[in-house]
Amino acid sequence: MNINFEKASFKDFENIEGYNMYARAEIFNNYLNFLDQRGHLNYRMVCTSGCGPEIQVLLPGQSSPQPLVGLVSNDYLGFTQHPRVRQAAMAAIEQYGTGSGASPAIGGHFRFHQQLEEAIARFFRRDQDASILYTTGYTSNSATIQCLLKKEDIAIYDMGVHASVQEGGLLTNVKTFPHNDLDRLAQVLKNAQHAYRNKMVVIDGVYSQDGDMAPLDQILNLTKQYGAYLAVDDAHGIGVIGKTGRGVLELYDLLDEVDLITGTFSKTFASIGGYVIGKPALIRLLKFQSRQHLFSAAGTPADIAAVLESIRLLDEEPQWMDRLWDNIRYFRQGLLDMGMDIGTTESAIIPVKIGDPKKTGEAGLLLLEQGIYTNPIIYPAVSRKDARIRMSVMATHTREQLDRTLQAFARVDQQIGIALPNRSRSEH
């Protein structure tokens, strides 16, 4: 087997023809060791503190954790550390214990699950029976699409959607269109109009790698024009976008217009789990036909209580969104002033696009050495020539932490050159 590790990516090891699982694992481990020796394997590092703007991280080869400025957490409003959220989780354990003990259909559906179903439905201005809970946000996408779309149907995806959406299409027909390309979407819809029973367009509200938004109003108009349904995963928009943090749907005033809203509790809502919002009859179908809901244990008391309290906080303490946007604007401008390519981001996700995967890995290492914890993102998470450093800004980042990060990027640029060449800053 001859794989050039210099040019390889994780994608190359998804399957190796003629090699059994142990042989494939050995080759992949050799690749991981190659990355580790270069200092480019800054994944799965052990954190010894909770989510936050500063994280204690056990770096490779060190015996004690180091404090790093953390730009890797999607806890956008810092609610995982909010005293009310922590207290709610502890109180739920005192009342109910630590687990649900069963799936929702056979004894694992408690009062707190019912309360959250109703609360998340009300959050999106829907009827109280318009939601279903899943144990993970990933499953809310993959399981729902698998349940609703079969061999007679088609799922139509933006190429930038999350992996969970892509997995959802394994039991149906799939077409994709280039990211936010409305002309190509219209063409796909036109070709599919009379060829399939159900046609569902699936998009993100805020895209997880570029941080940009879908042109939701135009996409909705296209789906209606061609008789298709629309599902929107706004995992990264909730708590960030919209006047009251209800995401891209609120921004476009379309909360009650789309067929399905999916999302996660692992970001703004400071816990774990996922949800789907839709018409009550469709939701009831999912509760008894979606295998991953029907045969998975329900969320724990602490998890659910944390989400319930986070939903309340989002409305009761709007200052967290204000602080988040102060930080977003400040950090964005600092990067732009250095000539960094941050793409088309409109959210708390801010990439610094570098392009070359090797240079991106080196940038991640150099940032880490300066006490800045970021995520180098390479193919297949993004296209081969679109590698970047991906960062998430939090409401709880201090100005000093953001300045330290900007200074670190300036030094990395001096060392290996990651800013845009021959481009004046006024062009941003």
Side-chain angles (χ1 to χ4, degrees):
M1 182 64 200
N2 185 23
I3 295 180
N4 183 350
F5 287 172
E6 286 277 356
K7 298 182 178 180
S9 73
F10 285 4
K11 184 76 173 176
D12 295 295
F13 305 92
E14 288 182 357
N15 183 39
I16 304 176
E17 187 175 347
Y19 286 74
N20 65 29
M21 61 185 183
Y22 289 108
R24 179 162 66 100
E26 183 176 356
I27 295 170
F28 183 57
N29 274 267
N30 290 336
Y31 174 62
L32 293 179
N33 292 337
F34 169 80
L35 293 178
D36 192 27
Q37 290 165 6
R38 286 182 152 204
H40 293 179
L41 193 66
N42 64 334
Y43 308 108
R44 294 185 61 86
M45 291 194 294
V46 177
C47 302
T48 62
S49 60
C51 290
E54 182 176 279
I55 309 173
Q56 297 286 332
V57 181
L58 190 61
L59 297 173
Q62 298 192 7
S63 58
S64 58
Q66 304 296 315
L68 306 179
V69 176
L71 291 130
V72 296
S73 173
N74 298 317
D75 179 20
Y76 295 122
L77 302 183
F79 284 175
T80 64
Q81 306 304 316
H82 195 291
R84 279 176 50 180
V85 175
R86 291 160 66 111
Q87 184 57 45
M90 290 186 285
I93 291 176
E94 288 294 330
Q95 182 175 357
Y96 292 103
T98 60
S100 61
S103 67
I106 59 169
H109 186 63
F110 288 82
R111 182 184 180 192
F112 51 86
H113 295 110
Q114 185 70 32
Q115 290 173 331
L116 181 51
E117 284 182 349
E118 294 174 358
I120 196 65
R122 288 195 304 268
F123 179 81
F124 287 105
R125 317 295 193 218
R126 300 289 187 103
D127 295 336
Q128 67 177 21
D129 52 354
S131 72
I132 180 175
L133 307 181
Y134 285 93
T135 310
T136 68
Y138 188 102
T139 312
S140 67
N141 282 324
S142 62
T144 297
I145 297 168
Q146 286 181 18
C147 179
L148 297 180
L149 302 183
K150 304 299 182 182
K151 62 182 180 180
E152 303 93 341
D153 309 315
I154 187 169
I156 302 169
Y157 302 154
D158 184 297
M159 286 183 177
V161 294
H162 193 264
S164 58
V165 173
Q166 298 170 18
E167 183 177 304
L170 294 178
L171 300 182
T172 191
N173 302 285
V174 172
K175 288 288 184 181
T176 61
F177 60 96
H179 180 48
N180 281 344
D181 188 329
L182 298 179
D183 290 337
R184 290 289 295 276
L185 171 59
Q187 188 62 51
V188 172
L189 283 167
K190 182 179 180 180
N191 293 340
Q193 186 173 14
H194 303 297
Y196 300 95
R197 178 182 58 184
N198 294 302
K199 303 167 289 293
M200 182 179 289
V201 175
V202 188
I203 61 173
D204 288 359
V206 170
Y207 284 87
S208 62
Q209 296 304 328
D210 283 324
D212 60 343
M213 294 189 293
L216 188 58
D217 53 347
Q218 298 176 72
I219 291 176
L220 180 63
N221 288 338
L222 283 173
T223 59
K224 289 181 176 180
Q225 179 182 344
Y226 290 101
Y229 305 121
L230 179 59
V232 180
D233 172 9
D234 205 14
H236 292 277
I238 301 304
V240 180
I241 305 297
K243 183 177 180 180
T244 65
R246 282 158 173 80
V248 175
L249 290 158
E250 181 182 33
L251 181 68
Y252 281 96
D253 193 22
L254 294 173
L255 280 168
D256 59 349
E257 294 292 326
V258 302
D259 296 284
L260 293 174
I261 304 169
T262 70
T264 181
F265 296 129
S266 64
K267 297 175 175 56
T268 288
F269 293 135
S271 186
I272 190 71
Y275 57 86
V276 178
I277 309 293
K279 290 189 179 301
L282 202 62
I283 295 300
R284 199 174 188 203
L285 171 70
L286 289 172
K287 287 177 179 177
F288 289 92
Q289 292 291 327
S290 177
R291 296 171 66 86
Q292 294 89 334
H293 174 83
L294 194 60
F295 296 106
S296 291
T300 72
D303 290 335
I304 302 301
V307 177
L308 284 165
E309 194 60 34
S310 295
I311 291 173
R312 298 185 191 103
L313 278 171
L314 188 54
D315 285 332
E316 294 174 11
E317 297 187 0
Q319 68 267 27
W320 298 109
M321 275 189 64
D322 293 339
R323 292 183 191 180
L324 174 62
W325 275 99
D326 284 344
N327 282 344
I328 291 170
R329 285 187 284 265
Y330 181 81
F331 191 56
R332 277 170 46 95
Q333 192 59 51
L335 291 168
L336 290 174
D337 287 345
M338 287 188 284
M340 299 297 170
D341 181 1
I342 64 170
T344 54
T345 179
E346 302 172 83
S347 68
I349 298 167
I350 300 181
V352 169
K353 297 190 171 190
I354 297 173
D356 178 69
K358 183 177 178 181
K359 184 179 284 190
T360 300
E362 190 64 19
L365 173 61
L366 292 172
L367 289 167
L368 201 61
E369 290 175 347
Q370 296 179 74
I372 310 298
Y373 187 12
T374 63
N375 291 138
I377 304 295
I378 58 175
Y379 181 81
V382 294
S383 64
R384 291 187 184 275
K385 296 181 180 180
D386 202 23
R388 79 279 305 272
I389 299 293
R390 178 194 184 276
M391 294 170 285
S392 294
V393 177
M394 299 173 62
T396 47
H397 277 119
T398 65
R399 191 57 54 89
E400 186 272 338
Q401 289 165 340
L402 296 178
D403 283 339
R404 281 179 55 193
T405 305
L406 293 171
Q407 291 160 10
F409 268 100
R411 287 190 285 269
V412 172
D413 184 40
Q414 291 173 351
Q415 290 177 269
I416 62 173
I418 60 172
L420 287 165
N422 303 319
R423 183 171 175 183
S424 67
R425 294 168 183 175
S426 62
E427 291 184 51
H428 294 288

